[in-house]
mmCIF file of all heavy atoms in Angstrom:
data_model
loop_
_atom_site.group_PDB
_atom_site.id
_atom_site.type_symbol
_atom_site.label_atom_id
_atom_site.label_comp_id
_atom_site.label_asym_id
_atom_site.label_seq_id
_atom_site.Cartn_x
_atom_site.Cartn_y
_atom_site.Cartn_z
ATOM 1 N N ILE A 1 19.864 -12.121 -3.562
ATOM 2 C CA ILE A 1 18.788 -12.231 -2.624
ATOM 3 C C ILE A 1 18.577 -10.793 -1.858
ATOM 4 O O ILE A 1 17.388 -10.478 -1.717
ATOM 5 C CB ILE A 1 19.221 -13.189 -1.518
ATOM 6 C CG1 ILE A 1 19.070 -14.741 -2.052
ATOM 7 C CG2 ILE A 1 18.275 -13.144 -0.207
ATOM 8 C CD1 ILE A 1 19.593 -15.723 -1.079
ATOM 9 N N ILE A 2 19.662 -10.203 -1.587
ATOM 10 C CA ILE A 2 19.511 -8.790 -0.903
ATOM 11 C C ILE A 2 18.823 -7.816 -1.923
ATOM 12 O O ILE A 2 17.972 -7.000 -1.562
ATOM 13 C CB ILE A 2 20.953 -8.328 -0.629
ATOM 14 C CG1 ILE A 2 21.387 -9.087 0.665
ATOM 15 C CG2 ILE A 2 20.804 -6.805 -0.136
ATOM 16 C CD1 ILE A 2 22.808 -8.858 1.032
ATOM 17 N N GLU A 3 19.232 -7.931 -3.221
ATOM 18 C CA GLU A 3 18.554 -7.018 -4.137
ATOM 19 C C GLU A 3 17.089 -7.314 -4.384
ATOM 20 O O GLU A 3 16.300 -6.413 -4.476
ATOM 21 C CB GLU A 3 19.361 -7.266 -5.578
ATOM 22 C CG GLU A 3 18.792 -6.271 -6.597
ATOM 23 C CD GLU A 3 19.503 -6.571 -8.003
ATOM 24 O OE1 GLU A 3 20.400 -7.352 -8.096
ATOM 25 O OE2 GLU A 3 19.062 -5.910 -8.925
ATOM 26 N N ARG A 4 16.781 -8.652 -4.305
ATOM 27 C CA ARG A 4 15.391 -9.024 -4.455
ATOM 28 C C ARG A 4 14.616 -8.567 -3.191
ATOM 29 O O ARG A 4 13.381 -8.169 -3.278
ATOM 30 C CB ARG A 4 15.274 -10.507 -4.602
ATOM 31 C CG ARG A 4 13.930 -10.997 -5.301
ATOM 32 C CD ARG A 4 13.961 -12.369 -5.691
ATOM 33 N NE ARG A 4 13.508 -13.262 -4.516
ATOM 34 C CZ ARG A 4 14.304 -14.198 -4.011
ATOM 35 N NH1 ARG A 4 15.577 -14.458 -4.398
ATOM 36 N NH2 ARG A 4 13.909 -14.956 -2.923
ATOM 37 N N TRP A 5 15.151 -8.730 -2.074
ATOM 38 C CA TRP A 5 14.523 -8.299 -0.840
ATOM 39 C C TRP A 5 14.348 -6.768 -0.825
ATOM 40 O O TRP A 5 13.377 -6.107 -0.404
ATOM 41 C CB TRP A 5 15.325 -8.667 0.401
ATOM 42 C CG TRP A 5 14.801 -8.268 1.733
ATOM 43 C CD1 TRP A 5 13.711 -8.781 2.380
ATOM 44 C CD2 TRP A 5 15.159 -7.180 2.460
ATOM 45 N NE1 TRP A 5 13.426 -8.083 3.440
ATOM 46 C CE2 TRP A 5 14.382 -6.982 3.578
ATOM 47 C CE3 TRP A 5 16.197 -6.100 2.240
ATOM 48 C CZ2 TRP A 5 14.515 -6.019 4.568
ATOM 49 C CZ3 TRP A 5 16.360 -5.206 3.336
ATOM 50 C CH2 TRP A 5 15.572 -5.111 4.400
ATOM 51 N N GLY A 6 15.340 -6.039 -1.352
ATOM 52 C CA GLY A 6 15.225 -4.593 -1.466
ATOM 53 C C GLY A 6 13.936 -4.086 -2.404
ATOM 54 O O GLY A 6 13.345 -3.285 -2.005
ATOM 55 N N LYS A 7 13.832 -4.840 -3.451
ATOM 56 C CA LYS A 7 12.700 -4.637 -4.392
ATOM 57 C C LYS A 7 11.431 -4.947 -3.655
ATOM 58 O O LYS A 7 10.349 -4.124 -3.778
ATOM 59 C CB LYS A 7 12.901 -5.410 -5.619
ATOM 60 C CG LYS A 7 14.037 -4.995 -6.455
ATOM 61 C CD LYS A 7 14.108 -5.767 -7.710
ATOM 62 C CE LYS A 7 15.182 -5.314 -8.660
ATOM 63 N NZ LYS A 7 15.279 -6.104 -9.856
ATOM 64 N N ALA A 8 11.423 -6.030 -2.905
ATOM 65 C CA ALA A 8 10.205 -6.466 -2.068
ATOM 66 C C ALA A 8 9.885 -5.376 -1.103
ATOM 67 O O ALA A 8 8.663 -4.977 -0.911
ATOM 68 C CB ALA A 8 10.349 -7.797 -1.416
ATOM 69 N N MET A 9 10.892 -4.765 -0.472
ATOM 70 C CA MET A 9 10.557 -3.795 0.619
ATOM 71 C C MET A 9 10.066 -2.475 -0.094
ATOM 72 O O MET A 9 9.255 -1.839 0.596
ATOM 73 C CB MET A 9 11.895 -3.463 1.362
ATOM 74 C CG MET A 9 12.346 -4.568 2.313
ATOM 75 S SD MET A 9 11.009 -4.900 3.484
ATOM 76 C CE MET A 9 10.906 -3.361 4.423
ATOM 77 N N THR A 10 10.520 -2.098 -1.204
ATOM 78 C CA THR A 10 10.092 -1.028 -1.939
ATOM 79 C C THR A 10 8.463 -1.253 -2.206
ATOM 80 O O THR A 10 7.682 -0.309 -1.994
ATOM 81 C CB THR A 10 10.769 -0.734 -3.214
ATOM 82 O OG1 THR A 10 12.152 -0.595 -2.935
ATOM 83 C CG2 THR A 10 10.201 0.452 -3.961
ATOM 84 N N ILE A 11 8.129 -2.408 -2.731
ATOM 85 C CA ILE A 11 6.811 -2.658 -2.943
ATOM 86 C C ILE A 11 6.007 -2.662 -1.601
ATOM 87 O O ILE A 11 4.842 -2.134 -1.544
ATOM 88 C CB ILE A 11 6.652 -4.103 -3.634
ATOM 89 C CG1 ILE A 11 7.438 -3.957 -4.957
ATOM 90 C CG2 ILE A 11 5.253 -4.485 -3.749
ATOM 91 C CD1 ILE A 11 7.392 -5.251 -5.745
ATOM 92 N N GLU A 12 6.613 -3.212 -0.529
ATOM 93 C CA GLU A 12 5.859 -3.222 0.675
ATOM 94 C C GLU A 12 5.573 -1.847 1.248
ATOM 95 O O GLU A 12 4.485 -1.531 1.767
ATOM 96 C CB GLU A 12 6.785 -4.031 1.771
ATOM 97 C CG GLU A 12 6.217 -4.021 3.188
ATOM 98 C CD GLU A 12 4.843 -4.756 3.316
ATOM 99 O OE1 GLU A 12 4.512 -5.558 2.371
ATOM 100 O OE2 GLU A 12 4.177 -4.513 4.341
ATOM 101 N N ARG A 13 6.590 -0.954 1.052
ATOM 102 C CA ARG A 13 6.411 0.535 1.445
ATOM 103 C C ARG A 13 5.186 1.086 0.705
ATOM 104 O O ARG A 13 4.488 1.877 1.180
ATOM 105 C CB ARG A 13 7.655 1.299 1.274
ATOM 106 C CG ARG A 13 8.746 1.028 2.434
ATOM 107 C CD ARG A 13 9.828 2.027 2.376
ATOM 108 N NE ARG A 13 10.523 1.957 1.121
ATOM 109 C CZ ARG A 13 11.633 1.253 1.004
ATOM 110 N NH1 ARG A 13 12.030 0.380 1.886
ATOM 111 N NH2 ARG A 13 12.228 1.261 -0.226
ATOM 112 N N PHE A 14 5.165 0.670 -0.592
ATOM 113 C CA PHE A 14 4.061 1.153 -1.487
ATOM 114 C C PHE A 14 2.685 0.706 -0.815
ATOM 115 O O PHE A 14 1.749 1.634 -0.685
ATOM 116 C CB PHE A 14 4.126 0.614 -2.815
ATOM 117 C CG PHE A 14 2.871 0.796 -3.619
ATOM 118 C CD1 PHE A 14 2.586 2.017 -4.304
ATOM 119 C CD2 PHE A 14 2.028 -0.347 -3.809
ATOM 120 C CE1 PHE A 14 1.421 2.103 -5.046
ATOM 121 C CE2 PHE A 14 0.938 -0.169 -4.531
ATOM 122 C CZ PHE A 14 0.533 0.967 -5.184
ATOM 123 N N PHE A 15 2.522 -0.500 -0.432
ATOM 124 C CA PHE A 15 1.235 -0.970 0.090
ATOM 125 C C PHE A 15 1.026 -0.348 1.465
ATOM 126 O O PHE A 15 -0.159 0.028 1.780
ATOM 127 C CB PHE A 15 1.318 -2.556 0.289
ATOM 128 C CG PHE A 15 1.105 -3.305 -1.020
ATOM 129 C CD1 PHE A 15 2.178 -4.025 -1.627
ATOM 130 C CD2 PHE A 15 -0.055 -3.222 -1.692
ATOM 131 C CE1 PHE A 15 1.970 -4.765 -2.730
ATOM 132 C CE2 PHE A 15 -0.326 -3.896 -2.827
ATOM 133 C CZ PHE A 15 0.715 -4.577 -3.377
ATOM 134 N N VAL A 16 2.058 -0.136 2.316
ATOM 135 C CA VAL A 16 1.865 0.501 3.593
ATOM 136 C C VAL A 16 1.372 1.859 3.404
ATOM 137 O O VAL A 16 0.340 2.347 4.105
ATOM 138 C CB VAL A 16 3.057 0.463 4.403
ATOM 139 C CG1 VAL A 16 3.024 1.295 5.608
ATOM 140 C CG2 VAL A 16 3.493 -0.940 4.796
ATOM 141 N N ASP A 17 1.982 2.624 2.399
ATOM 142 C CA ASP A 17 1.579 3.983 2.287
ATOM 143 C C ASP A 17 0.189 4.008 1.718
ATOM 144 O O ASP A 17 -0.723 4.826 2.062
ATOM 145 C CB ASP A 17 2.497 4.654 1.287
ATOM 146 C CG ASP A 17 2.193 6.056 1.137
ATOM 147 O OD1 ASP A 17 2.233 6.907 2.102
ATOM 148 O OD2 ASP A 17 1.846 6.518 0.055
ATOM 149 N N ALA A 18 -0.194 3.093 0.779
ATOM 150 C CA ALA A 18 -1.546 3.012 0.186
ATOM 151 C C ALA A 18 -2.571 2.665 1.291
ATOM 152 O O ALA A 18 -3.661 3.325 1.241
ATOM 153 C CB ALA A 18 -1.585 1.935 -1.011
ATOM 154 N N GLU A 19 -2.302 1.809 2.222
ATOM 155 C CA GLU A 19 -3.226 1.589 3.282
ATOM 156 C C GLU A 19 -3.503 2.717 4.186
ATOM 157 O O GLU A 19 -4.528 2.897 4.655
ATOM 158 C CB GLU A 19 -2.756 0.267 3.958
ATOM 159 C CG GLU A 19 -2.797 -1.121 3.198
ATOM 160 C CD GLU A 19 -2.128 -2.224 3.893
ATOM 161 O OE1 GLU A 19 -1.329 -1.960 4.790
ATOM 162 O OE2 GLU A 19 -2.282 -3.410 3.342
ATOM 163 N N LYS A 20 -2.495 3.471 4.505
ATOM 164 C CA LYS A 20 -2.605 4.612 5.316
ATOM 165 C C LYS A 20 -3.521 5.575 4.684
ATOM 166 O O LYS A 20 -4.339 6.258 5.214
ATOM 167 C CB LYS A 20 -1.211 5.203 5.514
ATOM 168 C CG LYS A 20 -0.361 4.382 6.728
ATOM 169 C CD LYS A 20 1.058 5.049 6.852
ATOM 170 C CE LYS A 20 1.820 4.273 7.914
ATOM 171 N NZ LYS A 20 3.066 4.975 8.144
ATOM 172 N N ARG A 21 -3.254 5.860 3.402
ATOM 173 C CA ARG A 21 -3.945 6.749 2.664
ATOM 174 C C ARG A 21 -5.491 6.371 2.603
ATOM 175 O O ARG A 21 -6.465 7.149 2.562
ATOM 176 C CB ARG A 21 -3.455 7.029 1.334
ATOM 177 C CG ARG A 21 -2.091 7.761 1.311
ATOM 178 C CD ARG A 21 -1.488 7.825 -0.045
ATOM 179 N NE ARG A 21 -0.253 8.509 -0.062
ATOM 180 C CZ ARG A 21 -0.024 9.850 -0.131
ATOM 181 N NH1 ARG A 21 -1.049 10.664 -0.142
ATOM 182 N NH2 ARG A 21 1.206 10.270 -0.060
ATOM 183 N N LEU A 22 -5.640 4.993 2.380
ATOM 184 C CA LEU A 22 -6.991 4.393 2.239
ATOM 185 C C LEU A 22 -7.821 4.720 3.501
ATOM 186 O O LEU A 22 -9.052 4.953 3.493
ATOM 187 C CB LEU A 22 -6.846 2.917 2.066
ATOM 188 C CG LEU A 22 -8.168 2.248 1.735
ATOM 189 C CD1 LEU A 22 -8.824 2.754 0.487
ATOM 190 C CD2 LEU A 22 -7.961 0.723 1.500
ATOM 191 N N ASN A 23 -7.120 4.609 4.666
ATOM 192 C CA ASN A 23 -7.828 4.908 5.961
ATOM 193 C C ASN A 23 -8.305 6.263 6.121
ATOM 194 O O ASN A 23 -9.229 6.663 7.044
ATOM 195 C CB ASN A 23 -6.958 4.461 7.215
ATOM 196 C CG ASN A 23 -6.776 3.015 7.216
ATOM 197 O OD1 ASN A 23 -7.561 2.173 6.821
ATOM 198 N ND2 ASN A 23 -5.610 2.567 7.755
ATOM 199 N N THR A 24 -7.825 7.175 5.327
ATOM 200 C CA THR A 24 -8.146 8.640 5.499
ATOM 201 C C THR A 24 -9.177 9.078 4.465
ATOM 202 O O THR A 24 -9.660 10.194 4.581
ATOM 203 C CB THR A 24 -6.889 9.477 5.357
ATOM 204 O OG1 THR A 24 -6.460 9.344 4.013
ATOM 205 C CG2 THR A 24 -5.811 9.136 6.362
ATOM 206 N N THR A 25 -9.637 8.193 3.559
ATOM 207 C CA THR A 25 -10.557 8.471 2.617
ATOM 208 C C THR A 25 -11.949 8.482 3.223
ATOM 209 O O THR A 25 -12.337 7.765 3.995
ATOM 210 C CB THR A 25 -10.552 7.496 1.322
ATOM 211 O OG1 THR A 25 -11.422 8.018 0.383
ATOM 212 C CG2 THR A 25 -10.976 6.063 1.948
ATOM 213 N N ASP A 26 -12.754 9.382 2.631
ATOM 214 C CA ASP A 26 -14.152 9.648 3.253
ATOM 215 C C ASP A 26 -15.233 8.918 2.350
ATOM 216 O O ASP A 26 -16.236 8.638 2.705
ATOM 217 C CB ASP A 26 -14.561 11.165 3.196
ATOM 218 C CG ASP A 26 -13.650 11.902 4.288
ATOM 219 O OD1 ASP A 26 -13.279 11.322 5.205
ATOM 220 O OD2 ASP A 26 -13.354 13.114 3.919
ATOM 221 N N ASP A 27 -14.756 8.480 1.206
ATOM 222 C CA ASP A 27 -15.623 7.833 0.275
ATOM 223 C C ASP A 27 -15.681 6.320 0.532
ATOM 224 O O ASP A 27 -14.717 5.623 0.382
ATOM 225 C CB ASP A 27 -15.229 8.043 -1.138
ATOM 226 C CG ASP A 27 -16.236 7.478 -2.102
ATOM 227 O OD1 ASP A 27 -17.003 6.660 -1.791
ATOM 228 O OD2 ASP A 27 -16.292 8.029 -3.336
ATOM 229 N N GLU A 28 -16.784 5.909 1.190
ATOM 230 C CA GLU A 28 -16.892 4.537 1.700
ATOM 231 C C GLU A 28 -16.872 3.568 0.595
ATOM 232 O O GLU A 28 -16.120 2.474 0.659
ATOM 233 C CB GLU A 28 -18.208 4.335 2.475
ATOM 234 C CG GLU A 28 -18.379 2.955 3.152
ATOM 235 C CD GLU A 28 -17.378 2.704 4.278
ATOM 236 O OE1 GLU A 28 -16.770 3.761 4.807
ATOM 237 O OE2 GLU A 28 -17.084 1.497 4.597
ATOM 238 N N ASP A 29 -17.512 3.814 -0.462
ATOM 239 C CA ASP A 29 -17.556 2.875 -1.634
ATOM 240 C C ASP A 29 -16.164 2.645 -2.186
ATOM 241 O O ASP A 29 -15.723 1.621 -2.553
ATOM 242 C CB ASP A 29 -18.544 3.362 -2.628
ATOM 243 C CG ASP A 29 -20.027 3.165 -2.218
ATOM 244 O OD1 ASP A 29 -20.207 2.468 -1.365
ATOM 245 O OD2 ASP A 29 -20.880 4.063 -2.706
ATOM 246 N N ARG A 30 -15.496 3.800 -2.413
ATOM 247 C CA ARG A 30 -14.236 3.752 -2.939
ATOM 248 C C ARG A 30 -13.199 3.065 -2.088
ATOM 249 O O ARG A 30 -12.449 2.413 -2.476
ATOM 250 C CB ARG A 30 -13.772 5.243 -3.108
ATOM 251 C CG ARG A 30 -12.335 5.395 -3.984
ATOM 252 C CD ARG A 30 -12.086 6.792 -4.296
ATOM 253 N NE ARG A 30 -10.854 6.814 -5.069
ATOM 254 C CZ ARG A 30 -9.740 7.272 -4.556
ATOM 255 N NH1 ARG A 30 -9.672 7.584 -3.291
ATOM 256 N NH2 ARG A 30 -8.555 7.194 -5.344
ATOM 257 N N ARG A 31 -13.323 3.343 -0.735
ATOM 258 C CA ARG A 31 -12.452 2.659 0.178
ATOM 259 C C ARG A 31 -12.588 1.135 0.120
ATOM 260 O O ARG A 31 -11.566 0.358 0.087
ATOM 261 C CB ARG A 31 -12.763 3.146 1.603
ATOM 262 C CG ARG A 31 -11.784 2.610 2.670
ATOM 263 C CD ARG A 31 -11.977 3.249 3.949
ATOM 264 N NE ARG A 31 -13.346 2.971 4.537
ATOM 265 C CZ ARG A 31 -13.705 1.782 5.069
ATOM 266 N NH1 ARG A 31 -12.764 0.806 5.274
ATOM 267 N NH2 ARG A 31 -14.975 1.543 5.555
ATOM 268 N N LYS A 32 -13.873 0.607 0.113
ATOM 269 C CA LYS A 32 -14.007 -0.885 0.003
ATOM 270 C C LYS A 32 -13.526 -1.424 -1.283
ATOM 271 O O LYS A 32 -12.949 -2.516 -1.312
ATOM 272 C CB LYS A 32 -15.499 -1.099 0.076
ATOM 273 C CG LYS A 32 -16.115 -0.946 1.521
ATOM 274 C CD LYS A 32 -17.522 -1.322 1.566
ATOM 275 C CE LYS A 32 -18.126 -1.218 3.027
ATOM 276 N NZ LYS A 32 -19.587 -1.552 3.107
ATOM 277 N N ARG A 33 -13.832 -0.649 -2.369
ATOM 278 C CA ARG A 33 -13.273 -1.096 -3.714
ATOM 279 C C ARG A 33 -11.745 -1.156 -3.767
ATOM 280 O O ARG A 33 -11.149 -2.205 -4.250
ATOM 281 C CB ARG A 33 -13.878 -0.205 -4.795
ATOM 282 C CG ARG A 33 -13.507 -0.633 -6.201
ATOM 283 C CD ARG A 33 -14.170 0.191 -7.244
ATOM 284 N NE ARG A 33 -13.586 1.553 -7.295
ATOM 285 C CZ ARG A 33 -14.062 2.585 -6.886
ATOM 286 N NH1 ARG A 33 -15.425 2.560 -6.262
ATOM 287 N NH2 ARG A 33 -13.568 3.800 -6.939
ATOM 288 N N LEU A 34 -11.056 -0.158 -3.207
ATOM 289 C CA LEU A 34 -9.594 -0.184 -3.134
ATOM 290 C C LEU A 34 -9.034 -1.190 -2.196
ATOM 291 O O LEU A 34 -7.937 -1.730 -2.378
ATOM 292 C CB LEU A 34 -9.130 1.157 -2.782
ATOM 293 C CG LEU A 34 -9.475 2.233 -3.862
ATOM 294 C CD1 LEU A 34 -8.941 3.636 -3.430
ATOM 295 C CD2 LEU A 34 -8.626 1.892 -5.173
#
């Protein structure tokens, strides 16, 4: 369970970082698509 949760947290950090980067993009069409 701990190992599975660790993998889930790694994926969660990926999404958090992706969302942060998405908020900084200037391309509106690309932002909506992503």
Side-chain angles (χ1 to χ4, degrees):
I1 287 174
I2 292 173
E3 182 181 0
R4 204 172 83 244
W5 178 77
K7 292 180 178 179
M9 287 302 298
T10 298
I11 297 172
E12 175 64 18
R13 286 194 295 271
F14 165 80
F15 284 113
V16 170
D17 186 63
E19 289 169 350
K20 286 181 180 179
R21 293 175 181 274
L22 187 61
N23 291 331
T24 61
T25 184
D26 296 331
D27 189 334
E28 184 67 18
D29 292 337
R30 185 170 184 261
R31 185 173 64 80
K32 288 182 178 181
R33 185 173 69 256
L34 292 177

